Amino acid sequence: METTQISDIKIIKSPTSKIDSVDFETLTFGKQFTDHMLVCDFIDGEWHQPIIMPYAPFEMDPSSRVFHYGQAIFEGMKAYRDAQDEIWLFRPDQNYERFNKSAIRLAMPEVPEHIFMDGLKELIKIDANWIKKGNGNALYIRPFMIGTSDGVIASPSLNFKFCIILSPVKSYYSGEVKVVIADHFSRAANGGIGAAKAAGNYAAQFYPTKLANQKGFQQVIWTDDTTHTKLEESGTMNVFFRINDTLITAPVSERILDGVTRKSLLAIAERDGIKTEVRSITVNEIVDAHRNGSLKEIFGAGTAAVVSLIAGFQYKDEYFELPQVADRFATQLKEKLNAIQYNEAEDTFNWTVKL
Amino acid sequence: METTQISDIKIIKSPTSKIDSVDFETLTFGKQFTDHMLVCDFIDGEWHQPIIMPYAPFEMDPSSRVFHYGQAIFEGMKAYRDAQDEIWLFRPDQNYERFNKSAIRLAMPEVPEHIFMDGLKELIKIDANWIKKGNGNALYIRPFMIGTSDGVIASPSLNFKFCIILSPVKSYYSGEVKVVIADHFSRAANGGIGAAKAAGNYAAQFYPTKLANQKGFQQVIWTDDTTHTKLEESGTMNVFFRINDTLITAPVSERILDGVTRKSLLAIAERDGIKTEVRSITVNEIVDAHRNGSLKEIFGAGTAAVVSLIAGFQYKDEYFELPQVADRFATQLKEKLNAIQYNEAEDTFNWTVKL
């Protein structure tokens, strides 16, 4: 293996590449990884040298904190290749900031910017040939951190591993999904960790989602756990409602993730004259709006799919089919956001960062 | 290595033992492990053969579900050696049942009884010399299960690893602790996973506990996340309150773990004529009881420490010091429970299981 050093990142290049064995036309989201990963250990109160090295398994003691106490956080972001073969990141500063907010809430050390950002950029440069041209093609970037100290005692880990892995992805379209509005299960508590991208939040959703799947629904719209009346997130995405020509989404809170796609869609909508409201929205309000014909669209917003169209929602014993509207906000906003991400439209917001 | 097969458990004995390097007088809880572990993989919808093998690291893909989505559960239980050199388990059926309840809530497969129970017993027999005689000495048993499928997509793992590791422990006495009653942070949502021994529940507690520690409190008494008025758990333990001569603890619920120590102490109290009440108890009630002198004791109850004595509690800006009562319920009940666990008193409940 070839070993070099760029600033303070140690680089160990893989002697071979898997890329020729990958069919880029039939990628499953998040299943295929590039040749390299970045790893950086936090030990005895200090971050050690970040290393870019061949993608390989970790050796983990069976008593590692992450296995027992779930001390784990992550981020999800993408890199895009434009028609001129330039590579772009989208608002990486937002993911970096949120990562460290999650770290604080989970009693983990913040990752210094040079490790996160320089590490990320250097890693992507090394595996840049995994990013294909063409709308929908992207490199999904997964920074994450886990508690690695040994010992089955319920106290924070002292040692941690920060890692970035990369997965080439195609455009992610799940079709229009039917959702069920949660009236019993919840994803987040008041004063809990719902606003953090904490691993434990996701496992908690799997069982209620499985129950929804068994009844023919693809996702759950999560409500506040106290009254189950406030509409908060959809699956692992933020959620938007269009009533007449106003786009409504709940404010971020302790229970609701501050999604980068969410705030980017809001900004584009506002720039382009769509009326937006960031406020609490209730089940009764959308049921009433459905009955009087003013509920036009519901969609999820997140990094993986950008938007996820919702065909209808079940609430208690009733199913509410949404109308098929022409010129959907969801589709317009997705196209505009994608155009910025792929450097096909002017980035009036200064969101994109050239690699 | 010597390889044998007992029923359907494959046994690979460690050629050497670490036991002579261990000082059993200075054990730190949960830091030292015995020579062997049990591992059993669930792959493609089936449990494979359980293997007892030398304690060793796992090889884990960086994209393993447990690192990203927190699909992980555990149990905590103990084995004891009595004066006649017999080894005893305490209510292992309760831990087994709860483990599988946790598995269902986290969308994981239930572990068959023969893998959990026979595996546990066989493993303990092999490492039986790690269990020392004498009150306070015990073998802490940690069964756990993690999602091992590769892939950064937020859906349940298809593959899982069930494992049991063993840690010799001494009696765990943290002194009398000062606690703070949570008035903002929470450990569980209504409709969440608070009743499961899910890894993610514990990481969520670390930061609020750290804040409490910084203010001079060792633990947090968790309240319901909606009103922060109902007293629910203390740290990672259930919590009991003694008002005059009545012992009160909250009913188990979706937010409150069905603790084995909790229900065993309740049963002993009831058998021995202590008045018990299993009902919701509020902050106002204990503040009032403190002011009128009827609040006598507060203590946590859990496997590691059996009981954890509480010296006083902070609520908002006020600290309430508890009285020093003679003949504490906490101490009486702990002694009685320990006497059953170490086979020093008659087990009128049929709780103990001889190995």
Side-chain angles (χ1 to χ4, degrees):
Chain A
M1 294 189 199
E2 182 196 340
T3 302
T4 55
Q5 195 121 354
I6 287 181
S7 71
D8 66 345
I9 302 171
K10 183 175 172 183
I11 298 173
I12 305 169
K13 283 262 186 79
S14 174
T16 59
S17 174
K18 297 172 290 195
I19 197 165
D20 290 337
S21 70
V22 175
D23 179 357
F24 281 80
E25 296 307 310
T26 60
L27 294 166
T28 303
F29 191 94
K31 282 295 284 181
Q32 180 67 56
F33 296 93
T34 65
D35 292 320
H36 298 89
M37 63 181 183
L38 178 130
V39 176
C40 189
D41 288 312
F42 181 90
I43 296 169
D44 295 333
E46 275 181 27
W47 286 104
H48 285 225
Q49 187 182 30
I51 304 173
I52 292 173
M53 57 185 287
Y55 187 95
F58 298 152
E59 263 211 356
M60 302 281 298
D61 191 274
S63 74
S64 297
R65 287 297 205 286
V66 63
F67 297 143
H68 301 268
Y69 306 116
Q71 223 179 353
I73 59 170
F74 69 93
E75 274 299 325
M77 50 209 291
K78 281 181 180 169
Y80 310 86
R81 185 183 290 274
D82 71 14
Q84 291 73 46
D85 261 336
E86 298 285 359
I87 292 168
W88 299 86
L89 297 173
F90 183 72
R91 307 187 80 176
D93 55 315
Q94 298 296 311
N95 296 94
Y96 173 64
E97 276 176 29
R98 191 172 61 184
F99 191 79
N100 279 342
K101 280 185 192 165
S102 298
I104 291 168
R105 183 60 184 85
L106 274 290
M108 303 171 94
E110 292 174 72
V111 176
E113 190 165 358
H114 73 275
I115 294 176
F116 190 102
M117 285 295 189
D118 298 349
L120 178 66
K121 289 175 184 171
E122 207 49 54
L123 178 65
I124 295 173
K125 279 182 196 161
I126 287 173
D127 282 338
N129 57 339
W130 289 78
I131 315 178
K132 300 300 177 189
K133 259 190 224 179
N135 202 309
N137 294 321
L139 188 68
Y140 182 78
I141 303 161
R142 171 57 61 95
F144 65 103
M145 177 162 48
I146 56 177
T148 53
S149 291
D150 301 352
V152 291
I153 181 148
S155 62
S157 192
L158 297 175
N159 301 332
F160 296 89
K161 190 183 286 294
F162 171 67
C163 183
I164 306 176
I165 55 179
L166 306 175
S167 176
V169 295
K170 286 200 67 74
S171 113
Y172 185 97
Y173 180 67
S174 50
E176 286 192 53
V177 301
K178 293 181 178 182
V179 300
V180 58
I181 295 179
D183 59 5
H184 174 76
F185 291 109
S186 310
R187 73 171 282 284
N190 301 301
I193 58 171
K197 278 193 90 75
N201 287 335
Y202 295 80
Q205 295 183 217
F206 291 162
Y207 176 69
T209 305
K210 194 167 87 172
L211 295 182
N213 295 162
Q214 287 165 357
K215 290 182 179 163
F217 303 98
Q218 287 78 52
Q219 273 303 348
V220 177
I221 290 191
W222 302 105
T223 50
D224 69 292
D225 81 306
T226 302
T227 65
H228 292 295
T229 59
K230 295 175 191 164
L231 300 157
E232 304 209 319
E233 293 202 15
S234 174
T236 60
M237 307 175 94
N238 294 111
V239 62
F240 283 85
F241 303 86
R242 175 180 170 187
I243 294 182
N244 289 321
D245 286 332
T246 300
L247 193 60
I248 305 164
T249 192
V252 297
S253 71
E254 275 185 329
R255 295 189 305 263
I256 301 181
L257 196 77
D258 182 10
V260 179
T261 306
R262 172 189 173 279
K263 61 187 164 196
S264 302
L265 296 183
L266 276 175
I268 293 172
E270 283 158 17
R271 182 194 66 183
D272 293 351
I274 292 174
K275 191 177 169 211
T276 62
E277 290 178 7
V278 176
R279 62 166 173 86
S280 182
I281 177 165
T282 65
V283 184
N284 281 346
E285 183 176 356
I286 64 161
V287 167
D288 289 348
H290 184 273
R291 295 201 202 283
N292 70 29
S294 60
L295 182 65
K296 306 294 187 192
E297 294 178 58
I298 307 177
F299 57 94
T303 294
V306 185
V307 303
S308 169
L309 302 177
I310 291 172
F313 62 94
Q314 178 85 10
Y315 179 61
K316 301 209 163 159
D317 293 329
E318 199 169 353
Y319 181 70
F320 300 85
E321 180 89 24
L322 289 172
Q324 292 292 327
V325 296
D327 212 16
R328 289 180 197 247
F329 282 177
T331 315
Q332 289 175 47
L333 292 170
K334 176 177 179 168
E335 282 171 6
K336 287 179 180 180
L337 180 58
N338 271 164
I340 295 172
Q341 289 168 329
Y342 286 91
N343 191 33
E344 291 164 357
E346 192 193 351
D347 174 14
T348 57
F349 302 100
N350 276 315
W351 284 337
T352 57
V353 175
K354 197 197 275 192
L355 197 68
Chain B
M1 293 190 199
E2 182 196 341
T3 302
T4 56
Q5 194 122 353
I6 287 181
S7 70
D8 66 345
I9 302 171
K10 183 175 173 183
I11 298 173
I12 305 170
K13 283 262 185 80
S14 174
T16 57
S17 174
K18 297 172 289 195
I19 197 165
D20 290 338
S21 70
V22 174
D23 178 358
F24 281 79
E25 295 307 309
T26 60
L27 294 167
T28 303
F29 192 94
K31 283 293 284 180
Q32 180 67 57
F33 296 92
T34 66
D35 292 320
H36 298 88
M37 62 181 184
L38 177 131
V39 176
C40 188
D41 288 312
F42 181 89
I43 297 169
D44 296 333
E46 274 182 27
W47 285 104
H48 286 225
Q49 187 182 31
I51 304 173
I52 292 174
M53 57 184 288
Y55 187 95
F58 298 152
E59 262 211 357
M60 302 281 297
D61 191 274
S63 75
S64 296
R65 287 297 205 287
V66 63
F67 297 143
H68 300 269
Y69 307 116
Q71 222 179 353
I73 58 169
F74 69 92
E75 273 299 325
M77 48 209 290
K78 282 181 180 168
Y80 310 85
R81 184 183 290 274
D82 72 13
Q84 292 74 46
D85 262 335
E86 299 285 0
I87 292 168
W88 298 87
L89 297 173
F90 183 73
R91 307 187 79 175
D93 56 315
Q94 298 296 312
N95 295 93
Y96 173 64
E97 276 176 29
R98 191 172 62 184
F99 191 79
N100 278 343
K101 279 186 192 164
S102 298
I104 291 168
R105 183 59 184 87
L106 274 289
M108 303 171 93
E110 292 173 73
V111 176
E113 189 164 359
H114 72 276
I115 294 176
F116 189 103
M117 285 296 190
D118 298 350
L120 178 65
K121 289 175 184 169
E122 206 50 54
L123 179 65
I124 295 173
K125 279 182 196 160
I126 287 173
D127 282 338
N129 56 338
W130 289 79
I131 315 177
K132 300 300 177 188
K133 261 190 223 180
N135 202 310
N137 294 320
L139 188 68
Y140 182 78
I141 303 161
R142 172 56 62 95
F144 66 103
M145 177 161 49
I146 56 177
T148 53
S149 291
D150 300 353
V152 291
I153 182 150
S155 61
S157 192
L158 297 175
N159 302 331
F160 296 88
K161 190 183 284 294
F162 170 67
C163 183
I164 307 176
I165 54 178
L166 306 175
S167 177
V169 295
K170 287 200 64 76
S171 111
Y172 185 95
Y173 181 67
S174 51
E176 286 192 55
V177 301
K178 292 180 178 183
V179 299
V180 58
I181 294 178
D183 58 5
H184 174 75
F185 291 109
S186 310
R187 73 171 283 283
N190 301 302
I193 58 171
K197 278 192 91 76
N201 287 334
Y202 295 79
Q205 295 183 216
F206 290 162
Y207 176 68
T209 305
K210 194 167 86 171
L211 295 181
N213 295 162
Q214 287 165 357
K215 291 181 179 163
F217 303 98
Q218 287 78 51
Q219 273 303 350
V220 177
I221 289 190
W222 302 104
T223 50
D224 68 292
D225 81 307
T226 303
T227 65
H228 292 296
T229 59
K230 295 175 191 163
L231 300 157
E232 304 209 320
E233 292 202 15
S234 174
T236 60
M237 309 175 92
N238 293 110
V239 62
F240 284 84
F241 302 86
R242 174 181 171 187
I243 294 181
N244 289 321
D245 286 331
T246 301
L247 194 60
I248 306 164
T249 192
V252 297
S253 72
E254 276 185 329
R255 295 189 306 263
I256 302 181
L257 195 78
D258 183 11
V260 179
T261 305
R262 172 189 172 281
K263 60 187 163 195
S264 302
L265 295 183
L266 276 176
I268 293 172
E270 283 159 18
R271 181 195 66 185
D272 293 351
I274 293 174
K275 192 176 167 211
T276 63
E277 290 178 6
V278 177
R279 62 167 173 85
S280 182
I281 176 164
T282 65
V283 183
N284 281 347
E285 183 175 355
I286 64 162
V287 167
D288 289 347
H290 184 274
R291 295 201 201 283
N292 69 29
S294 61
L295 182 66
K296 306 294 186 191
E297 294 178 58
I298 307 178
F299 57 93
T303 295
V306 186
V307 303
S308 169
L309 302 177
I310 291 173
F313 62 93
Q314 179 85 11
Y315 178 61
K316 303 209 163 161
D317 294 329
E318 199 170 353
Y319 181 70
F320 300 86
E321 180 90 26
L322 290 172
Q324 292 292 328
V325 295
D327 212 15
R328 290 179 197 250
F329 283 177
T331 314
Q332 289 176 46
L333 292 171
K334 176 177 179 168
E335 283 170 5
K336 287 178 179 178
L337 180 57
N338 271 164
I340 294 172
Q341 289 168 329
Y342 286 91
N343 191 34
E344 291 164 358
E346 192 193 351
D347 173 15
T348 57
F349 302 99
N350 276 315
W351 283 338
T352 57
V353 175
K354 196 196 276 192
L355 197 68

